[in-house]
Amino acid sequence: MNMPMLWCVVPAAGRGLRVGGDCPKQYLPLAGHMLIEHTLARLAAHPRIAGLLVILAADDTHWPGITALGGKPVLTTVGGSERCDSVLAGLNALPVEVRDDDFVLVHDAARPCVRQSDIDTLIERGIPAGGALLGAPLRDTLKRADTASRSLMTEPRDQRWRAFTPQLFRRAELSSALQAVAQAKLIVSDEAMAMEHAGHAPLLVEGAEDNIKVTTAADFALAEFLLVKTA
Ligand SMILES: Nc1ccn([C@@H]2O[C@H](COP(=O)(O)OP(=O)(O)OP(=O)(O)O)[C@@H](O)[C@H]2O)c(=O)n1
Ligand SMILES: C[C@](O)(CO)[C@H](O)COP(=O)(O)O
């Protein structure tokens, strides 16, 4: 069966403020390479990924100038002040070969431990569903806290999921949804939120919880351990 190849948009225009490093976290060292190099290598190694479109900050001085990985093209464009602005810029910069109704993946540069098998499952289940995202059901008790970090109440956790990336949507549908939230001056934290705002109900596909987003300095040690385990 002819399995379509998908481009992957990689938001990498963040500042990494919660890490507090001397450069944006995607360029900090992790297991002998830059964090972003691990993420891009994982994505480029997937047989269904045709190419990578990496979104960089306008003043990025750290990008190592990668133009190809594993025989796949690596293109770049400039992002915006919010992640959702960057993703929209990436969608607009995809090659002309990517048609409006083609599915595209969006994956955070800050998630270097994504498993090939999870990308497989997302594509296999997400395309028939018209769009999907990796995630995991909440398994811990969820507390609502006050400003002094005192537990006020326990939130219901049934039907609550943590959203990961990659997320998979048709290029034009996602672009339209992101343009709509931008026009409404809304900030969405992931692509699925924009799609929900547009009236879609993207499929949640359970993925490994070790697909962590490197957000704080402490996450680097965990990511290094996981990179070996999830290789
Ligand atoms: N304007 C932005 C903000 C974030 N990102 C990217 O979106 C992903 C997830 O964002 P996050 O983990 O929040 O990264 P930062 O925004 O860099 O982190 P912080 O909030 O700590 O500054 C990262 O790969 C980041 O580079 C982006 O492309 N454009
Ligand atoms: C897209 C995401 O990784 C899904 O969990 C998350 O929303 C990114 O949030 P951030 O605050 O931009 O890290």
Side-chain angles (χ1 to χ4, degrees):
M1 184 171 76
N2 176 28
M3 305 295 274
M5 297 287 284
L6 310 174
W7 274 75
C8 186
V9 167
V10 184
R15 303 284 174 200
L17 298 177
R18 287 171 284 181
V19 167
D22 55 11
C23 70
K25 66 183 178 184
Q26 54 270 33
Y27 300 116
L28 289 175
L30 173 65
H33 297 278
M34 292 177 176
L35 190 165
I36 193 171
E37 288 176 312
H38 289 285
T39 306
L40 298 181
R42 289 265 167 124
L43 295 170
H46 195 278
R48 296 284 302 278
I49 291 180
L52 305 177
L53 192 289
V54 185
I55 305 138
L56 305 175
D59 59 354
D60 187 313
T61 58
H62 302 279
W63 171 245
I66 302 164
T67 56
L69 266 180
K72 313 240 177 114
V74 178
L75 309 179
T76 62
T77 195
V78 171
S81 57
E82 299 294 339
R83 182 183 175 284
C84 49
D85 303 319
S86 295
V87 172
L88 183 54
L91 293 171
N92 292 339
L94 285 166
V96 292
E97 74 200 52
V98 183
R99 296 170 317 203
D100 281 352
D101 65 346
D102 284 347
F103 282 92
V104 296
L105 293 157
V106 182
H107 184 63
D108 293 334
R111 290 184 186 267
C113 302
V114 62
R115 295 173 184 237
Q116 303 292 320
S117 55
D118 281 350
I119 298 173
D120 291 339
T121 309
L122 177 70
I123 293 170
E124 283 156 20
R125 296 190 56 203
I127 287 180
L133 64 149
L134 285 179
L138 267 181
R139 295 189 169 98
D140 299 307
T141 294
L142 189 60
K143 299 294 186 185
R144 179 184 294 269
D146 67 11
T147 53
S149 300
R150 309 286 287 186
S151 178
L152 296 177
M153 63 180 289
T154 298
E155 298 277 8
R157 70 177 172 194
D158 53 317
Q159 296 177 267
R160 262 69 172 178
W161 284 56
R162 293 161 56 222
F164 304 152
T165 67
Q167 304 196 7
L168 173 74
F169 296 107
R170 292 187 190 279
R171 177 188 183 173
E173 281 183 347
L174 181 54
S175 289
S176 168
L178 288 168
Q179 285 163 12
V181 293
Q183 281 157 6
K185 300 199 185 322
L186 297 174
I187 294 175
V188 294
S189 57
D190 72 345
E191 289 64 64
M193 188 174 170
M195 296 298 285
E196 294 150 13
H197 182 266
H200 300 278
L203 177 68
L204 285 152
V205 175
E206 185 165 356
E209 297 208 43
D210 52 25
N211 177 14
I212 66 166
K213 181 165 68 72
V214 175
T215 306
T216 66
D219 294 329
F220 278 84
L222 177 56
E224 183 154 358
F225 169 76
L226 291 171
L227 280 172
V228 174
K229 193 165 95 63
T230 60

